[in-house]
């Protein structure tokens, strides 16, 4: 797996409008868990934006990443036989991370993270589709209305990003397979969300089963 700091990505390029949309939903979904979540482990960092906003809102945040150049508090390679403090973190969050290694490793990482979290996993994964989206917004209504028509690219095996091993929607990776992996890990889907203005990121709020405690 290539380290993100080896890719020469500038923050100005990384923080595109679409990525900022995803940051909004990352925060919104974490906030939606309310007082159940105080201690958060963020896995997979590039900048401190999410961590800083969470800390400014009273959360205790620990950072983890495989890349030591990012100066995470925990050096963590999800493809190894890693261990984390059990029940220390109310929520473990990782956005656009699992697809960066082969699917069997992603499944095993999901299982171990489910064991480690006290309550929740909040994740996003890439959703590879052909889509058509409409937005209607007027001065007479507060919230815009959306229509999204999307079809998974089940005929293709090529991820959008060259650094990805797999993406949901591609041949061999239907949504059903990902949800089966979630269930096998001992997790229940609490929320699913896709933003019609940027449907490439698919969000899942996962709750630890009582039998997995």
């Amino acid at each position: 797996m290539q380290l993100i700091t080896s890719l020469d990505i500038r923050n100005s390029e990384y923080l595109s409008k679409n990525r900022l949309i995803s940051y909004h939903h990352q925060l919104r979904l974490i906030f939606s868990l309310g007082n159940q979540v105080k201690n958060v482990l963020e896995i997979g960092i590039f900048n401190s934006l999410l961590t800083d906003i969470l800390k400014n809102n009273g959360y205790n945040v620990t950072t983890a990443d495989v890349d030591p150049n990012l100066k995470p508090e925990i050096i963590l390679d999800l493809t190894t036989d890693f261990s984390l403090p059990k029940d220390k973190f109310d929520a473990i969050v990782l956005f656009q991370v699992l697809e960066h290694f082969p699917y069997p490793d992603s499944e095993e990482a999901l299982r171990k993270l489910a064991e480690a979290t006290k309550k929740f996993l909040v994740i996003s994964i890439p959703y590879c589709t052909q889509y058509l989206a409409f937005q209607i917004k007027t001065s007479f209504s507060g919230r815009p209305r959306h229509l999204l028509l999307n079809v998974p690219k089940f005929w293709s095996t090529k991820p959008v990003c060259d650094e990805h091993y797999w993406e949901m929607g591609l041949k061999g990776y239907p949504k059903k397979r990902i949800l089966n992996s979630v269930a096998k890990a001992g997790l229940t889907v609490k929320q699913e969300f896709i933003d019609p203005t940027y449907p490439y990121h698919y969000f899942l709020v996962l709750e630890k089963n009582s039998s997995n405690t």
Side-chain angles (χ1 to χ4, degrees), residues 1 77-79 94 97-107 109-110 163-166:
M1 183 175 64
D77 184 349
L78 292 177
T79 65
L94 55 161
V97 172
L98 292 172
E99 65 277 4
H100 285 275
F101 25 90
Y103 196 80
D105 291 337
S106 303
E107 271 196 317
L110 194 65
E163 281 78 45
H164 294 177
Y165 282 87
W166 58 273

Side-chain angles (χ1 to χ4, degrees), residues 16-29:
S16 64
K17 180 179 178 181
N18 284 335
R19 195 168 296 277
L20 287 171
I21 289 172
S22 284
Y23 273 116
H24 164 73
H25 292 303
Q26 291 170 21
L27 290 161
R28 181 183 63 79
L29 291 171

Side-chain angles (χ1 to χ4, degrees), residues 3-191:
L3 300 182
I4 195 168
T5 51
S6 70
L7 300 177
D8 192 29
I9 301 173
R10 293 189 178 93
N11 253 315
S12 59
E13 299 168 346
Y14 184 81
L15 294 176
S16 64
K17 180 179 178 181
N18 284 335
R19 195 168 296 277
L20 287 171
I21 289 172
S22 284
Y23 273 116
H24 164 73
H25 292 303
Q26 291 170 21
L27 290 161
R28 181 183 63 79
L29 291 171
I30 295 169
F31 291 160
S32 74
L33 299 174
N35 294 332
Q36 298 179 87
V37 172
K38 182 72 174 177
N39 299 307
V40 175
L41 174 65
E42 182 190 0
I43 300 175
I45 58 175
F46 177 60
N47 54 49
S48 61
L49 182 58
L50 181 65
T51 294
D52 287 347
I53 296 175
L54 288 174
K55 286 182 175 179
N56 287 338
N57 281 271
Y59 292 85
N60 301 318
V61 184
T62 302
T63 57
D65 201 283
V66 67
D67 191 342
N69 297 313
L70 296 173
K71 298 180 172 58
E73 293 163 81
I74 300 173
I75 304 295
L76 179 63
D77 184 349
L78 292 177
T79 65
T80 65
D81 187 22
F82 66 91
S83 62
L84 290 168
K86 193 172 182 180
D87 292 341
K88 177 180 179 180
F89 303 108
D90 301 316
I92 297 176
V93 305
L94 55 161
F95 303 107
Q96 304 303 114
V97 172
L98 292 172
E99 65 277 4
H100 285 275
F101 25 90
Y103 196 80
D105 291 337
S106 303
E107 271 196 317
E108 180 62 14
L110 194 65
R111 183 188 67 79
K112 296 188 75 171
L113 292 172
E115 289 180 353
T117 189
K118 189 175 181 180
K119 295 179 182 176
F120 302 106
L121 285 184
V122 186
I123 70 172
S124 70
I125 55 176
Y127 190 20
C128 194
T129 66
Q130 295 279 45
Y131 68 90
L132 180 65
F134 296 92
Q135 175 179 280
I136 300 174
K137 187 176 182 180
T138 71
S139 59
F140 304 107
S141 59
R143 298 180 61 182
R145 304 296 180 187
H146 295 93
L147 175 64
L148 173 65
L149 304 173
N150 62 338
V151 178
K153 293 178 68 174
F154 57 86
W155 59 89
S156 175
T157 59
K158 182 173 175 56
V160 171
C161 178
D162 291 338
E163 281 78 45
H164 294 177
Y165 282 87
W166 58 273
E167 294 181 354
M168 188 171 79
L170 291 177
K171 186 176 181 179
Y173 301 99
K175 179 181 173 182
K176 182 179 180 180
R177 180 178 183 183
I178 280 72
L179 294 183
N180 283 342
S181 297
V182 166
K184 281 167 54 179
L187 297 159
T188 299
V189 177
K190 184 178 175 68
Q191 294 184 59

